[in-house]
Amino acid sequence: MNKTLGYILLVMLFVSLVYIPICNAQDYATWNLPEGAKSRLGKGSIKDLEFSPDGSRIAVGSSIGVWIYDANTLQEITLFTGDEITFEVGKLIFSPDGNTLAGTGAGRINLWDPITGELKIMIEGLREGISSLAFSSDGKILAGASWNEKINLWDTVSGTQLNILTGHTDPNPSLAIGPSIMFSPNEQILVSGGEDGTIRFWNTATGELLKTINAHLEQVYSIAISPDGLTVASGSQDRTIRLWDTETGELQYTLKGHIRRINSVKFSTDGKTLVSTGWDGTVRLWNPATGKLRHRKNIGGLIDDIELSPDGKTLACEGDNVIFLWDAVTGKNLKSITGHTWYIDSIAFSPFGRTLACGSGDGTHLWDVGTGKLRKTIPEPGMNVLSLAYSPDGTTLATVSSRKIRLWDASTGELQTTLAGHDKSYLRSLAFNADSSILASAGDDKTIRLWNTTTGELKNTITQHTDTVWSVVFSPNGQTLASGSSDKTIRLWNASTSEHQKTITGYTGRVFSLAFSPDGKILANGNWDGIISLWDSATGEHNMTLTGHTYTVESLVFSPDGRTLASGSDDGTTRLWDIKTGESQNEFRGHGRGVSSVAFSPDGTTLASGSDDGTVLLWDVVPTPNAIGETK
């Protein structure tokens, strides 16, 4: 009996160990969530990536914090986020011993323990953005180059500023790129490449400029120093890579082949390979001893950075928010890290609430609300998806991209038809009427267009607005169409005849968002200044003003019971308002950037907020008490 029980326990332990990594891999959608949120869809947009010195981990700086991946399995290990990261994390770098991870963001530099995520040091007050970071070889000094061409040196234990190195000039201040920096193996020397086309050598102890090489006639975007310290490579706007003798300053080789600017050059740890990439979408491997090209890989897109694993076997770069890894010798694709997303402009729940559609800079993403998994991505040519809407019958998903409207089968994601008519301007808003037979669209051309969703025929064009039309919405019964514009008016139209019924002015401001209450009696608008106004939709009379947001109210939506109004703003917050009292019931914070779109689930228990940080947060919503203190 004891043997049997022991065997059962052993089996249970084995099963639990087998399944732990799988569960952890799925749980990342709930890691480090802000208060009130129950899930996160998407991992934010990618800003930078770095291999740890031992090659076991990959750190990815994103718009919501720092993701740490296992370099072998590519599974998520942890996410650093919280009060120490308010906005996206830009540049990342590991200390040489791997015990510290430095990252820029929100006008500061954070130094973390890369295993625990504990914040060691916070260097604040950096008004100028940081373009490059570098650790000295002993890890005691951190250098940060800023967009104003200055290079700051800090003590990594105390965070105390040690010195400021000045000398680089900026021929084009509007670009605000800043120098590229790197310590030589002799940690007393820092090398920098600037927009003035020079490479400069500095004594970090005294701040003295030791040597200047007039390396390129155009901007130097990246530099790299060979492990032996004898060669410095510079990549430039002039599409060349140049190798220089660090002692004499003499030119050794000029490497040509890239057809656009070169953004990144890196030496392998043994110094036998130089890797370069740039805006021509290629990655090139060179022999620095001969200046000869060894291998070329076409990736496509504008590649800002390339990383080589410490063992020299794996290359990694980011393209369209996917991290690609491939064999550095053969060029064979190995694996990729997905789940990172661009800024989100529009979100919508499917009528049954099982799917959340997100219009993003890289297409339309369909997420399973229950599991948090990505069901499907619908790539679209041209520009980002600025607006999308489900038809009330749930059969069609309408999206806007490349100034065209596309209708997709909501189940399969197959393209049904394309509606063209706003070809000379961006479209800003889409809305279906109650029976899904009409689709309204509006945009920068100041017009509103009504389409027959069955035939794709253009039914009518409304031209009375005098500026961009940011929002269109049908009343719940489908009889009225409301439109809001930068011309500071809200206009109501007969949805069948397109006849103008009423113009609302006075408290509108520049109208960016509109929403009808479920009973159609209230029309809410959000404006440029962060103010929300409530109107009697029948009379056009102003009922109430809701204040609290500090920037543009991008999106509004009523709860299904009509008692609560949700708003998303460029101030990064999502608010819930009591419609009877006008009081703010709750304020959700957690996005790293502005909230572009909000949507209630059909049952009203979940509020989704989509953000420019590339993520959607799902929030638990507490029903609003009714007049006698009960809840519906």
Side-chain angles (χ1 to χ4, degrees):
M1 185 69 175
N2 290 337
K3 290 183 178 180
T4 302
L5 178 61
Y7 176 77
I8 292 173
L9 291 173
L10 183 62
V11 170
M12 291 175 65
L13 177 62
F14 174 77
V15 170
S16 66
L17 290 175
V18 168
Y19 280 94
I20 282 175
I22 298 176
C23 294
N24 286 343
Q26 295 174 345
D27 287 344
Y28 71 80
T30 61
W31 289 353
N32 294 343
L33 291 174
E35 183 179 356
K38 56 185 178 181
S39 184
R40 179 190 292 109
L41 309 181
K43 301 177 183 177
S45 55
I46 298 171
K47 304 300 176 182
D48 196 16
L49 62 99
E50 288 283 326
F51 279 100
S52 62
D54 63 4
S56 65
R57 286 160 289 154
I58 300 174
V60 177
S62 80
S63 55
I64 63 169
V66 180
W67 291 90
I68 304 294
Y69 291 91
D70 184 296
N72 295 313
T73 66
L74 302 190
Q75 291 294 329
E76 303 83 0
I77 296 176
T78 188
L79 167 65
F80 301 162
T81 182
D83 292 339
E84 68 270 24
I85 305 175
T86 305
F87 300 105
E88 69 261 20
V89 174
K91 294 296 180 180
L92 281 177
I93 188 170
F94 278 96
S95 61
D97 61 8
N99 293 330
T100 302
L101 178 65
T104 65
R108 55 186 178 244
I109 299 175
N110 301 304
L111 278 68
W112 298 278
D113 182 309
I115 303 298
T116 67
E118 178 187 357
L119 183 63
K120 296 180 175 181
I121 294 288
M122 182 187 295
I123 301 171
E124 298 183 275
L126 306 178
R127 295 182 179 180
E128 297 290 337
I130 300 295
S131 62
S132 183
L133 290 173
F135 274 104
S136 60
S137 57
D138 61 5
K140 295 181 178 179
I141 301 175
L142 177 68
S146 61
W147 296 342
N148 63 3
E149 305 302 313
K150 294 180 180 179
I151 302 169
N152 296 274
L153 305 179
W154 293 280
D155 182 286
T156 57
V157 176
S158 66
T160 304
Q161 189 173 62
L162 302 175
N163 214 333
I164 301 177
L165 311 179
T166 60
H168 280 292
T169 58
D170 187 353
N172 190 354
S174 63
L175 291 177
I177 302 298
S180 173
I181 56 176
M182 191 172 184
F183 280 91
S184 70
N186 174 3
E187 59 224 27
Q188 293 295 317
I189 297 177
L190 180 80
V191 183
S192 61
E195 291 184 78
D196 54 11
T198 67
I199 299 173
R200 298 177 183 244
F201 295 73
W202 311 84
N203 184 309
T204 57
T206 65
E208 178 187 1
L209 178 61
L210 303 175
K211 180 167 40 187
T212 299
I213 299 174
N214 293 313
H216 297 267
L217 296 177
E218 298 186 65
Q219 296 96 326
V220 175
Y221 286 113
S222 181
I223 61 167
I225 301 173
S226 60
D228 60 13
L230 300 179
T231 303
V232 59
S234 56
S236 169
Q237 174 73 32
D238 67 12
R239 298 171 292 179
T240 69
I241 302 162
R242 300 187 182 186
L243 305 183
W244 308 87
D245 186 296
T246 56
E247 293 294 329
T248 65
E250 293 182 359
L251 179 64
Q252 297 174 330
Y253 295 106
T254 297
L255 313 181
K256 297 181 179 181
H258 285 286
I259 60 175
R260 296 190 68 182
R261 85 180 211 187
I262 295 158
N263 289 328
S264 181
V265 289
K266 300 282 175 66
F267 278 98
S268 60
T269 52
D270 62 8
K272 296 180 179 180
T273 301
L274 179 71
V275 183
S276 64
T277 190
W279 279 8
D280 62 359
T282 69
V283 177
R284 298 170 190 248
L285 280 67
W286 311 83
N287 184 337
T290 63
K292 300 296 184 181
L293 181 67
R294 284 178 174 166
H295 187 76
R296 167 181 165 173
K297 178 79 173 177
N298 291 319
I299 301 297
L302 306 178
I303 305 174
D304 284 320
D305 198 11
I306 187 76
E307 292 299 326
L308 188 62
S309 63
D311 61 10
K313 296 180 180 180
T314 305
L315 286 165
C317 78
E318 179 269 332
D320 292 336
N321 275 296
V322 176
I323 298 172
F324 299 97
L325 293 92
W326 64 93
D327 189 290
V329 177
T330 65
K332 179 183 177 181
N333 290 327
L334 299 176
K335 296 178 180 179
S336 61
I337 297 175
T338 61
H340 289 276
T341 48
W342 283 7
Y343 47 88
I344 293 171
D345 281 306
S346 182
I347 61 175
F349 278 97
S350 62
F352 296 107
R354 297 169 187 161
T355 302
L356 186 74
C358 301
S360 177
D362 53 356
T364 301
H365 304 284
L366 304 180
W367 297 88
D368 186 297
V369 176
T371 66
K373 290 183 178 180
L374 182 63
R375 283 182 171 175
K376 188 178 183 64
T377 295
I378 304 174
E380 299 194 42
M383 304 298 291
N384 51 298
V385 179
L386 291 176
S387 183
L388 54 75
Y390 275 102
S391 61
D393 62 13
T395 62
T396 303
L397 176 66
T399 63
V400 166
S401 177
S402 296
R403 302 176 176 88
K404 288 182 173 60
I405 304 165
R406 293 179 173 86
L407 304 183
W408 309 85
D409 184 296
S411 299
T412 66
E414 294 182 1
L415 180 64
Q416 295 176 325
T417 187
T418 300
L419 310 179
H422 295 269
D423 293 340
K424 295 183 179 179
S425 69
Y426 288 110
L427 286 166
R428 301 295 179 178
S429 183
L430 291 172
F432 281 96
N433 70 343
D435 64 6
S436 307
S437 63
I438 299 175
L439 178 70
S441 62
D444 290 356
D445 62 3
K446 311 172 191 176
T447 71
I448 303 163
R449 303 188 186 222
L450 302 178
W451 309 84
N452 184 309
T453 56
T454 302
T455 65
E457 175 189 3
L458 178 63
K459 292 173 57 68
N460 211 340
T461 301
I462 300 173
T463 61
Q464 279 89 329
H465 279 292
T466 60
D467 208 332
T468 297
V469 182
W470 289 97
S471 183
V472 287
V473 60
F474 282 96
S475 61
N477 62 14
Q479 296 177 6
T480 303
L481 176 69
S483 58
S485 168
S486 284
D487 64 13
K488 300 183 180 181
T489 69
I490 300 170
R491 299 180 186 240
L492 303 181
W493 316 87
N494 183 299
S496 298
T497 65
S498 300
E499 179 184 357
H500 177 254
Q501 296 177 328
K502 195 180 279 80
T503 297
I504 299 174
T505 60
Y507 295 88
T508 60
R510 296 173 64 185
V511 181
F512 271 76
S513 49
L514 291 171
F516 273 106
S517 60
D519 61 9
K521 294 180 179 180
I522 300 174
L523 178 63
N525 87 273
N527 73 14
W528 175 274
D529 300 315
I531 296 172
I532 301 168
S533 296
L534 304 184
W535 310 85
D536 185 302
S537 61
T539 65
E541 292 182 0
H542 181 255
N543 289 341
M544 194 180 298
T545 296
L546 312 180
T547 59
H549 285 300
T550 56
Y551 292 103
T552 302
V553 178
E554 293 276 1
S555 182
L556 293 170
V557 63
F558 280 90
S559 61
D561 63 12
R563 298 173 179 174
T564 303
L565 178 71
S567 58
S569 169
D570 280 345
D571 64 13
T573 68
T574 302
R575 289 176 179 254
L576 299 179
W577 308 86
D578 186 302
I579 293 305
K580 287 187 176 181
T581 66
E583 295 180 356
S584 178
Q585 300 172 322
N586 208 340
E587 180 184 62
F588 297 128
R589 292 181 177 270
H591 285 294
R593 290 188 180 181
V595 177
S596 56
S597 188
V598 289
F600 269 106
S601 61
D603 64 6
T605 62
T606 300
L607 178 70
S609 59
S611 170
D612 293 340
D613 67 12
T615 68
V616 174
L617 289 173
L618 302 182
W619 309 88
D620 273 317
V621 179
V622 178
T624 305
N626 64 14
I628 60 174
E630 298 174 345
T631 57
K632 185 176 180 179

